[in-house]
């Protein structure tokens, strides 16, 4: 699954390392909505190696903090679902309310979201 994302999002990662990548979702719930996706093919969170989950949790925290700073949100909503697509991915959504995470609140995608993370060093301070 990662290879499919790599093909569709080439050069548009907000974060990447040896274990995962982070990029903007095509169906954002709020500005800065990112997906943290392992490079390793994993169908289900419950089947993932604990060391991989620990790494993903660290990156989710970094991206959540960066998103809150970049988009002026007091909190980040974190979700692991996997119902729409059968692979492990973690949603990180800077927000000021759970209302932005409701099913009817999709926002138009903005390619600028990844750039805002990458271009602002204060996001990762």
């Amino acid at each position: 699954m990662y290879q499919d994302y790599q093909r569709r999002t080439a050069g548009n990662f907000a974060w990447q390392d040896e274990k995962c990548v982070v990029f903007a979702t095509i169906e954002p719930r709020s500005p800065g909505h990112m997906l943290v996706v392992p490079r390793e093919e994993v169908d289900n969170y419950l089947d993932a190696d604990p060391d991989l989950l620990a790494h993903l949790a660290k990156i989710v925290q970094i991206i959540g903090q960066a998103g809150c700073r970049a988009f002026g949100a007091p909190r980040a909503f974190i979700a692991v679902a996997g119902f729409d697509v059968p692979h492990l991915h973690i949603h990180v959504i800077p927000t000021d309310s759970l209302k932005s995470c409701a099913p009817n609140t999709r926002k138009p995608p903005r390619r600028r979201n990844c750039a805002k993370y990458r271009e602002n060093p204060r996001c990762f301070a």
Side-chain angles (χ1 to χ4, degrees), residues 1-103:
M1 193 56 67
Y2 161 72
Q3 287 80 10
D4 186 44
Y5 281 131
Q6 188 176 35
R7 182 176 43 76
R8 288 189 290 151
T9 62
N12 202 27
F13 293 135
W15 174 283
Q16 59 182 318
D17 62 29
E18 70 285 350
K19 294 187 177 183
C20 69
V21 295
V22 179
F23 53 88
T25 179
I26 60 171
E27 295 183 347
R29 301 300 175 160
S30 71
H33 182 166
M34 296 284 136
L35 297 176
V36 178
V37 180
R39 291 180 185 266
E40 177 184 332
E41 300 254 352
V42 179
D43 262 356
N44 188 323
Y45 178 90
L46 300 175
D47 298 330
D49 178 86
D51 290 337
L52 175 61
L53 292 178
H55 181 77
L56 295 177
K58 177 182 172 184
I59 302 309
V60 164
Q61 184 180 37
I62 290 168
I63 295 300
Q65 291 168 342
C68 287
R69 282 191 289 276
F71 295 95
R75 296 186 184 269
F77 180 82
I78 310 301
V80 179
F83 295 106
D84 292 344
V85 285
H87 62 86
L88 173 58
H89 60 286
I90 302 171
H91 296 261
V92 182
I93 307 170
T95 186
D96 60 0
S97 167
L98 282 177
K99 291 178 184 174
S100 66
C101 301

